[in-house]
Amino acid sequence: MSLRGVIDQVRGREKTLTVYTDPETAIVSDLRAYFASQNVVVVEADADDRPEYAVLSDGEEYLAAVGIDALRALTDGSARTVGEDVSYSPLLEHLDRTTFTSYSHHQMVQASREIEDRAWRANDGRLHAGFQHLSKFRPQRETYTNLSRGGLDVHVYGTPDVDVAAPSGVTVHREDSLEIAATWFVVFDGGGDDHQASALLAEERHDGGYYGVWTYDAALVEEALDALDALEQSV
């Protein structure tokens, strides 16, 4: 199965984020804008005299709860760095197998950071990242050099539009293929722990947005890894 095949087989179930807050607060509209491209519906509820917070659910099943400050950090547009503690991680972890229809470049970077951070903390296993073109890897070279300094086996993919020297500890795959040129991905095998396995797979569309899947499902991550192995063997 190809990377595109993995994306196509996933259909996310709609989840509900109930936000308990003061009436007409801006955070609700910010969250609706943030999750507009995903299978997540945002519902507003009155917090009354309680601290503001939000609950993520799948039907009647409770998934996670986070405070209002975590939601502001999620939607404020600020970039995060690998190794930085973020309070909204419990929320993102439960958006398992969530498909999205139009992620912006910023949202893709934020999702990538979440997976890179898991790999950095595990310090073991395989991390694969596709940048479409190697010129897009250049700004991330330092990040991936740092990721490779421990026990991670780090692989980077891109079409060879520029000459990029491989950082120490990083295997650079120069793949001149349409699939690599169109697909942004970050796949971490979990380092032997299925609970840490995660993947972001997205195809760039003509409008500059990205369509794909962000998953913490170990079986789906394994399918993505198999697709990458098949791609390397075909070269």
Side-chain angles (χ1 to χ4, degrees), residues 166-188:
S168 177
V170 177
T171 302
V172 176
H173 300 267
R174 297 167 176 84
E175 306 283 357
D176 195 6
S177 73
L178 291 176
E179 182 170 43
I180 289 297
T183 309
W184 177 332
F185 60 88
V186 183
V187 184
F188 175 48

Side-chain angles (χ1 to χ4, degrees), residues 13-18 39 41 55-63:
R13 293 177 56 186
E14 186 175 76
K15 295 179 174 63
T16 300
L17 182 67
T18 304
N39 290 326
V41 59
V55 173
L56 183 69
S57 58
D58 184 355
E60 297 298 321
E61 181 185 1
Y62 164 87
L63 298 177

